[in-house]
Amino acid sequence: MLRTPTVPEEGEDVAATLSATETLSEEEQEELRRELAKVEEEIQTLSQVLAAKEKHLAEIKRKLGINSLQELKQNIAKGWQDVTATSAYKKTSETLSQAGQKASAALSSVGSVITRKLEDVKLQAFSHSFRNSPTFKSFEEKVENLKSKVGGTKPAGGDFGEVLNSTANASVTATEPPTEQTQESL
């Protein structure tokens, strides 16, 4: 029976390996040397065959017009296809899709709230600046003057809403026809 020789691994003690060859007979050592030569020859032959096959492969690819970039693209596409076919990818994709939909809905709601708040702020700012503008002040004074001329009882400088209401009431009463007195009231 042949014993397999121990080849020293990197860092192993060479002296320990030499002691193993000393226990082999001359015949066993010769048999192992022949086997070693045979394996080395097979490796050499396989390397030559592999080189020839690689050369033939390159020639076929050249004839087909396949270059390295196209090959890389095909490899990436195939790899991506393999990844997307896995159940882990499908579950992750589904989860991320649901999370994205929820996040989108939440951001949309937040966006709507922010938009409404900004519109309110702009309206308040516009209203405030409009009321403090010289045009509005002039208009307000004219309305108050008109009110004092038409209605007359309240002093000028009242609330603008009251001024508008009283002006509207004064103009309505000024345009209504006088009521006829009935004979009973006489």
Side-chain angles (χ1 to χ4, degrees), residues 17-88:
T17 306
L18 289 177
S19 67
T21 57
E22 290 174 2
T23 59
L24 294 174
S25 70
E26 198 57 43
E27 190 179 296
E28 291 172 329
Q29 288 180 7
E30 189 58 37
E31 178 66 29
L32 288 174
R33 284 187 188 107
R34 282 191 299 265
E35 188 177 340
L36 177 64
K38 183 181 173 187
V39 170
E40 285 176 342
E41 186 180 319
E42 287 175 353
I43 290 173
Q44 180 70 23
T45 303
L46 289 173
S47 294
Q48 292 170 350
V49 169
L50 180 61
K53 293 279 186 186
E54 287 176 339
K55 187 176 180 181
H56 184 64
L57 175 70
E59 182 64 25
I60 292 172
K61 285 182 179 181
R62 186 188 61 76
K63 287 179 180 178
L64 289 173
I66 299 173
N67 60 29
S68 298
L69 182 59
Q70 288 173 327
E71 196 172 348
L72 178 63
K73 287 179 184 177
Q74 288 173 349
N75 288 342
I76 290 173
K78 175 75 170 108
W80 181 248
Q81 185 179 11
D82 292 346
V83 167
T84 57
T86 64
S87 63

Side-chain angles (χ1 to χ4, degrees), residues 146-167:
L146 180 63
K147 180 192 168 223
S148 65
K149 289 178 185 174
V150 174
T153 57
K154 283 193 179 178
D159 179 75
F160 183 66
E162 292 175 12
V163 171
L164 285 177
N165 285 336
S166 64
T167 304

Side-chain angles (χ1 to χ4, degrees), residues 4 14 47 53 68 90 99 101 103 135 158 165 174 186:
T4 58
V14 177
S47 294
K53 293 279 186 186
S68 298
K90 289 177 183 174
Q101 290 171 354
T135 305
N165 285 336
L186 293 173

Side-chain angles (χ1 to χ4, degrees), residues 77-130:
K78 175 75 170 108
W80 181 248
Q81 185 179 11
D82 292 346
V83 167
T84 57
T86 64
S87 63
Y89 174 83
K90 289 177 183 174
K91 288 178 184 176
T92 302
S93 177
E94 202 173 289
T95 302
L96 289 175
S97 176
Q98 291 172 356
Q101 290 171 354
K102 289 178 182 178
S104 177
L107 289 175
S108 177
S109 296
V110 168
S112 296
V113 168
I114 289 172
T115 301
R116 273 188 258 125
K117 291 292 182 183
L118 287 174
E119 287 173 353
D120 290 348
V121 167
K122 284 190 330 189
L123 184 61
Q124 289 173 355
F126 174 75
S127 174
H128 179 71
S129 67
F130 181 71

